[in-house]
Amino acid sequence: MKFGIKGRLEDERMLKGAGRYVSDWNVEAQAYGHFLRSDRPHAKIVSIDTSAATSMPGVIAVLTGEDVLAAGQKPMPAAAPMKGRGGSDQILPPRYALSAKRVRYVGEPVALVVAQSAAIAQDAAEAVFVEYEDLPAVTTALEALAPGAPQLHDEVPGNLVLDFIGGDEAATDAAFAKAAKVVTLSAYHSRVVGNPMEPRAAMGVYDPKQDLYTLYATTQGAGPMRLQVGAMLGVPPERLRIVAEEVGGGFGVRFNAYPEYGALLLAAKTLGRPVKWVGTRSEIFLADEQARDIVHTGEIALDANGRILGMRFDYVSNLGAYLAFTGSFINTVNLVNVVSGVYDVPAVSVQAKLVVTNTVPTAAYRGAGRPVASYAMERLIDQAAFESGIDPAEFRRRNLVPKSKFPYKTVTGFEYDCGDFEGVLDDALAAADWKGFAARKAEAAKRGRLRGRGIATYIEATAAGGFAPYDQAQVTWEKDGSVTLRTASHNHGQGHETTFAQVVAGVLGIPMERIRLRTSEADHFMTSNPTGGSRTLHGLGSAMFLAAKEIVKNGIDLAAEELESAAADIEFQEGNYRIKGTDRQISITALAQKHPGKLDLDYRDRPKVPSTYPNGCHIAEVEIDPETGELEIVSYVAMDDAGNIVNQQIVEGQMMGGITQGCGHILGEQAVYDAETGQLLTGSFMDYPMPRAVLVNNLRVLEHPVPTQTNPLGAKGVGEAGVTGSMPCLMNAIMDALRGAGVTHFDMPATPLRLWRALEAAKAGQPRALAIADRP
């Protein structure tokens, strides 16, 4: 299947500032909201005095958690509940739109001030007096599990929400019992803040005549947002509309509903007027879902020839103060689905403890658990190769799933339908000049630099679309002959407007510029999966493709009638129906205009396409100045199998962005909480470094496509692959450089100061001094 190389249809609108974001929406008689947030990590709410605030000019009302409870709002929902050890259920501690009895993290909303302007609302929030009774707090998962630790929720004994088991423990134990060598590696996957370009914003509207709520909000998909918010309000989804045109980035942290949305809709209903809130960058740090914060230990059992017999992984995940909607899923299923990576492994087991602490809740973030699993796996593989004295590329080659074994069923029950792992590895090694590294390392040493080389061979399982029963795609012909596509998978930087248009235009034979995409409209409720899990193109794109094919088929009889011919004599080529062997024809556009609605299609209730398994091999080289700790990524090769590529420019952009995002996480991003006060110490860009485009030098994005047969496009996901491959690749390169100076273990982030300290500690005989995972 061939797709033309096109530019992005979205770009002109974005570059000219013509996009309409949530903060751009204004409706008649709207009021403005500001949230008062907890300034302490754990405390009982003794009382809230709003009298001074409500007496200020321009203040309309102040809502508190008691108002939320009195209105009958429900606790926020969680995704499909997971089962734990022995069939135990996960525990879902209640979380409301505004906290009424107790706060559990700095930034938790406790009151909503509504006023005639945003400035008045903000000023009035400072006049609300909350009397707290402070409670002991705990900010790390390991400390929260310790005996005598502060308890966050009465419903969650020992702060343990779920003790998850995956794989086959008995078979894994047997594999380890006969191992010639066992290698163990513990590591820390640091906490990060998603930080989309657009701060969160929302506006609640209530229509009493229709008993209908409308929420304008930043979202990755209207369908799941509608279900989550509806559950909070205690109303069926038919009584709620979600509206969002442009959204300035998602990365997973715009997937879930937030407590503020329930409060805004309650205020709108109570006051009889719309209420709008526009968050700040500070509120992103304090109140947006964060991610990762996982300590993990991996063990690998080897035979005498360096073949893998079995693996064990133990994860302790910091969920923050509450269980977010996707919190348990990403820390269980997404750690297990590709737990054996690209390797032919006969036995694997996984344990994951999901723990609550007095920090911002964590949830999905680009990769949603899969980068954590890849990092744990590929760091362990590299450590095993080092301790075995085997070249890391050769060690991987010995253990790859051979091409002859596809489709390959993993020990955890997932099936890789296709792949060429060894071919991807060979291409990457050649592109990176793997054999020439020794000379480059020697040359760097002459300049006083430590040069290291890292490799990671990764695989992902893209989402199977479990949040909706099917993928819905609507195709509508307009009066002017243009086409409108509708779906609930939101476009917020991925280029859906372009790729969907390419797919549909390729089938209908019309210019892609005549196609527009709508993803969130008040009057259209779509049952589709949101943007997430790297599945939008091969999931919704396949639905669009099949819908277009069905439209062409539906037009055969209409064209036969117009051309006065038998339907069997009609063929369709390049946008035209014609009688075979003649020049008599009619375009599909003219046919649609002549018969309004006849060629429209609501494609729904069809089986969803399954997961795909994009994979790749990334190789990076770094140089470290031992005198300052400064690090430079001097080369980076990404060889990836994303199946058929619809738009090369978009795929390369996704890979480059993902690689840079992953490298930024390794080199600097870390959300740090003060252990004594529970305050976030990295609450602005002054203390929290964001990666820049120049971070990765000499980056080459290359491809080794193996098209899948599980969807009609032959495409695999690409949106999160860059993160999944880059994090272990870069850290392996850093460790390779540090080992030459005596450092035996090092955990992210690899900031210049931490690198310098690690090198200095190694000189003093402390080679594991910067290993965060060693600490309780």
Side-chain angles (χ1 to χ4, degrees):
M1 186 177 300
K2 300 291 185 181
F3 298 94
I5 299 176
K6 300 285 186 179
R8 287 166 37 111
L9 297 179
E10 302 92 331
D11 289 349
E12 182 176 357
R13 182 174 75 253
M14 297 293 100
L15 291 171
K16 290 182 176 180
R20 194 179 194 186
Y21 294 85
V22 176
S23 61
D24 295 324
W25 287 93
N26 292 289
V27 296
E28 186 178 354
Q30 73 186 29
Y32 297 84
H34 182 88
F35 286 94
L36 176 67
R37 302 182 183 277
S38 170
D39 60 358
R40 56 205 67 202
H42 198 193
K44 292 181 180 178
I45 298 176
V46 178
S47 64
I48 301 179
D49 184 355
T50 65
S51 58
T54 54
S55 65
M56 294 174 64
V59 174
I60 300 169
V62 179
L63 274 66
T64 68
E66 295 297 340
D67 297 308
V68 170
L69 296 177
Q73 281 200 7
K74 310 299 182 185
M76 298 181 68
M82 311 307 300
K83 291 289 184 179
R85 188 186 295 272
S88 61
D89 292 324
Q90 75 177 21
I91 303 171
L92 177 59
R95 182 188 187 191
Y96 289 90
L98 297 170
S99 184
K101 308 295 184 183
R102 194 167 165 185
V103 292
R104 294 177 174 87
Y105 66 94
V106 174
E108 184 168 5
V110 296
L112 170 60
V113 180
V114 182
Q116 299 290 358
S117 74
I120 293 174
Q122 183 175 358
D123 288 344
E126 297 180 5
V128 176
F129 177 74
V130 183
E131 181 182 357
Y132 291 107
E133 180 183 323
D134 287 324
L135 298 170
V138 60
T139 59
T140 73
L142 292 178
E143 290 173 331
L145 289 176
Q151 299 297 292
L152 271 74
H153 302 271
D154 296 337
E155 302 86 353
V156 188
N159 297 317
L160 184 62
V161 167
L162 183 70
D163 184 3
F164 175 80
I165 296 293
D168 190 329
E169 284 187 294
T172 304
D173 290 344
F176 273 78
K178 62 183 180 181
K181 185 178 183 65
V182 173
V183 177
T184 302
L185 179 72
S186 294
Y188 175 61
H189 209 106
S190 60
R191 177 183 282 249
V192 290
V193 180
N195 264 316
M197 183 164 50
E198 178 192 16
R200 199 151 44 90
M203 178 164 58
V205 180
Y206 178 71
D207 181 351
K209 294 181 179 179
Q210 301 184 68
D211 192 18
L212 182 69
Y213 295 91
T214 299
L215 177 69
Y216 298 77
T218 48
T219 178
Q220 291 178 220
M225 183 69 71
R226 191 179 192 184
L227 295 173
Q228 292 179 53
V229 176
M232 293 172 64
L233 299 177
V235 303
E238 294 76 18
R239 286 174 51 195
L240 178 64
R241 299 287 184 266
I242 305 294
V243 179
E245 286 192 6
E246 314 292 356
V247 173
F251 306 118
V253 299
R254 296 291 181 261
F255 187 100
N256 297 335
Y258 281 88
E260 291 89 347
Y261 303 161
L264 289 166
L265 289 167
L266 173 61
K269 181 177 182 179
T270 302
L271 303 175
R273 60 191 297 185
V275 180
K276 178 179 179 179
W277 162 70
V278 178
T280 64
R281 181 61 56 180
S282 293
E283 286 178 291
I284 281 184
F285 281 97
L286 286 174
D288 272 18
E289 291 165 349
Q290 297 176 1
R292 317 294 202 231
D293 200 352
I294 299 171
V295 176
H296 45 82
T297 298
E299 293 181 287
I300 188 167
L302 305 174
D303 69 12
N305 298 314
R307 287 296 308 258
I308 301 172
L309 300 175
M311 294 185 293
R312 281 194 287 244
F313 294 96
D314 185 356
Y315 298 92
V316 181
S317 302
N318 189 338
L319 296 179
Y322 298 95
L323 178 60
F325 185 76
T326 53
S328 62
F329 187 85
I330 64 171
N331 285 295
T332 54
V333 173
N334 277 11
L335 297 179
V336 170
N337 54 17
V338 288
V339 69
S340 55
V342 294
Y343 308 109
D344 188 8
V345 181
V348 181
S349 67
V350 174
Q351 175 176 282
K353 292 182 183 293
L354 279 56
V355 186
V356 288
T357 69
N358 295 112
T359 59
V360 172
T362 60
Y365 174 67
R366 199 168 188 170
R370 301 189 298 280
V372 176
S374 175
Y375 186 81
M377 162 73 69
E378 287 301 300
R379 289 293 316 282
L380 180 62
I381 291 290
D382 234 49
Q383 187 69 22
F386 172 73
E387 294 189 19
S388 301
I390 303 173
D391 176 87
E394 173 56 28
F395 185 89
R396 286 168 167 83
R397 186 187 304 279
R398 292 183 191 182
N399 290 286
L400 292 175
V401 176
K403 197 172 183 179
S404 60
K405 279 198 172 184
F406 288 100
Y408 177 80
K409 193 101 174 236
T410 71
V411 293
T412 50
F414 294 84
E415 185 174 279
Y416 303 164
D417 63 290
C418 65
D420 180 16
F421 301 156
E422 189 167 1
V424 171
L425 173 64
D426 287 339
D427 284 357
L429 294 175
D433 185 22
W434 183 265
K435 294 180 180 179
F437 174 71
R440 295 190 294 275
K441 182 175 182 177
E443 187 277 329
K446 293 178 182 178
R447 294 184 281 108
R449 299 293 189 269
L450 301 172
R451 189 160 182 136
R453 173 184 63 182
I455 182 173
T457 45
Y458 77 93
I459 190 167
E460 283 204 305
T462 62
F467 292 101
Y470 51 84
D471 287 318
Q472 184 180 5
Q474 290 183 354
V475 183
T476 305
W477 291 86
E478 308 296 344
K479 292 180 180 180
D480 63 358
S482 64
V483 172
T484 298
L485 310 178
R486 289 185 173 87
T487 183
S489 185
H490 204 282
N491 176 32
H492 45 271
Q494 296 85 354
H496 298 166
E497 191 169 332
T498 298
T499 50
F500 286 167
Q502 281 184 255
V503 168
V504 172
V507 176
L508 299 182
I510 63 176
M512 59 180 287
E513 292 78 12
R514 299 285 289 164
I515 300 174
R516 70 168 189 161
L517 175 67
R518 308 294 292 172
T519 59
S520 180
E521 298 172 294
D523 296 328
H524 289 83
F525 174 53
M526 305 290 291
T527 302
S528 293
N529 285 281
T531 299
S534 299
R535 78 172 301 274
T536 301
L537 180 66
H538 70 263
L540 269 298
S542 291
M544 293 289 183
F545 175 82
L546 294 172
K549 297 280 282 187
E550 192 168 320
I551 287 170
V552 170
K553 182 180 178 181
N554 292 344
I556 293 289
D557 288 337
L558 284 177
E561 182 179 334
E562 287 295 320
L563 298 174
E564 299 179 337
S565 172
D569 293 331
I570 299 296
E571 62 181 2
F572 183 80
Q573 291 181 350
E574 299 179 349
N576 295 298
Y577 294 97
R578 66 170 56 89
I579 300 174
K580 298 174 184 176
T582 74
D583 60 357
R584 293 185 61 203
Q585 64 182 28
I586 185 172
S587 72
I588 190 171
T589 301
L591 199 63
Q593 289 178 296
K594 192 168 185 178
H595 300 276
K598 294 291 186 180
L599 293 184
D600 295 349
L601 181 65
D602 184 2
Y603 184 91
R604 55 184 295 158
D605 298 312
R606 273 49 164 216
K608 295 176 292 188
V609 301
S611 295
T612 63
Y613 295 91
N615 59 89
C617 176
H618 290 198
I619 299 174
E621 293 186 18
V622 302
E623 287 188 1
I624 301 173
D625 182 346
E627 299 300 320
T628 64
E630 292 289 336
L631 180 146
E632 181 183 5
I633 303 172
V634 292
S635 72
Y636 197 107
V637 169
M639 183 68 63
D640 294 283
D641 168 18
N644 283 333
I645 292 175
V646 172
N647 187 296
Q648 190 77 35
Q649 179 191 43
I650 288 175
V651 167
E652 289 184 0
Q654 286 279 3
M655 288 303 303
M656 290 177 179
I659 290 167
T660 302
Q661 200 163 349
C663 291
H665 190 164
I666 293 294
L667 295 182
E669 288 192 63
Q670 184 181 22
V672 179
Y673 282 87
D674 183 90
E676 298 297 324
T677 65
Q679 298 290 330
L680 181 66
L681 300 179
T682 51
S684 75
F685 289 144
M686 292 292 290
D687 303 297
Y688 189 96
M690 292 292 286
R692 292 169 171 80
V694 296
L695 181 65
V696 185
N697 293 318
N698 300 315
L699 171 59
R700 285 180 288 164
V701 175
L702 308 171
E703 60 194 66
H704 184 110
V706 181
T708 179
Q709 300 300 311
T710 61
N711 66 72
L713 301 178
K716 302 176 182 178
V718 74
E720 294 154 315
V723 176
T724 305
S726 64
M727 295 190 68
C729 172
L730 180 56
M731 185 53 85
N732 284 340
I734 292 169
M735 276 306 307
D736 186 52
L738 292 177
R739 284 193 190 103
V743 178
T744 61
H745 194 95
F746 182 85
D747 278 324
M748 65 175 88
T751 61
L753 178 60
R754 297 190 77 251
L755 288 169
W756 179 81
R757 284 178 173 172
L759 291 167
E760 291 299 302
K763 293 178 185 178
Q766 298 177 310
R768 296 180 63 91
L770 273 292
I772 296 174
D774 288 349
R775 305 171 194 172

